Amino acid sequence: MADSDDSYDLSNIFEFYEALKEGYDFVIGNRFKGKLEKGSMPFLNKYVGNPILSYIPKKIFKTPNYDYHCGLRGGSKQKLINLNLESEGMELASEMLIKAFLKKYKIKEINISYYKSKYSRKSHLKPFRDSIRHLKKIFELKKL
């Protein structure tokens, strides 16, 4: 699955497919370890929001250093159904990865390229509201 704004280089999709064939349950991209095109991510998202909202679950759940909010991911339909996902907003990204980790899914992270969207539309991201929703979901999952 991938965000549909054409910001992900889908030539990486074969690496995702191969990882799933190798037995990984869940595969996620990492934009920060791959090529991050200049202007592809607002300054505050790149240097504040994403790092903080990835650091908190890393510390709470003792997860590896994932790019929690990467929109390029893969997994079998049944494995995704088994996560019992509940979120309807951007916090779904955190919920999906945390639950996969808690269920001891075999997770692989692949370095990917991330580009500036080719569409000139306003982002659906509301930084403050969405950050609060992510934090709320992270702390709800801590109670499991």
Side-chain angles (χ1 to χ4, degrees):
M1 62 189 104
D3 289 348
S4 60
D5 66 355
D6 209 16
S7 56
Y8 291 98
D9 180 355
L10 296 181
S11 66
N12 295 94
I13 206 72
F14 298 107
E15 289 181 68
F16 283 64
Y17 176 72
E18 287 300 319
L20 293 168
K21 274 181 40 180
E22 290 170 16
Y24 285 92
D25 300 309
F26 189 75
V27 185
I28 186 165
N30 187 320
R31 301 165 293 176
F32 297 99
K33 291 183 179 177
K35 178 185 176 194
L36 192 59
E37 182 181 49
K38 184 177 181 177
S40 61
M41 191 179 296
F43 180 87
L44 287 176
N45 295 19
K46 183 177 179 180
Y47 294 106
V48 181
N50 274 302
I52 290 172
L53 290 173
S54 292
Y55 175 82
I56 292 170
K58 177 185 175 192
K59 286 299 176 190
I60 290 174
F61 299 101
K62 311 275 190 267
T63 68
N65 195 21
Y66 299 121
D67 176 4
Y68 271 79
H69 307 99
C70 182
L72 187 56
R73 313 166 164 230
S76 75
K77 179 180 177 181
Q78 193 55 53
K79 288 288 184 176
L80 292 172
I81 289 169
N82 289 344
L83 292 176
N84 298 315
L85 300 170
E86 301 168 344
S87 298
E88 295 179 8
M90 301 256 182
E91 68 278 10
L92 178 69
S94 295
E95 179 185 7
M96 186 183 296
L97 191 51
I98 291 167
K99 283 186 172 180
F101 182 79
L102 291 175
K103 286 188 176 278
K104 303 198 184 311
Y105 281 12
K106 189 175 173 188
I107 301 171
K108 181 169 186 171
E109 189 173 51
I110 295 174
N111 300 343
I112 63 162
S113 296
Y114 185 68
Y115 302 103
K116 188 174 180 178
S117 176
K118 292 162 184 63
Y119 303 101
S120 59
R121 63 162 179 80
K122 189 173 183 204
S123 172
H124 297 301
L125 180 69
K126 304 284 187 224
F128 183 75
R129 180 203 68 192
D130 292 332
S131 295
I132 296 300
R133 289 173 68 164
H134 273 277
L135 290 170
K136 182 179 174 191
K137 180 54 72 177
I138 290 166
F139 288 106
E140 283 175 10
L141 293 170
K142 185 179 184 305
K143 296 175 187 174
L144 293 180

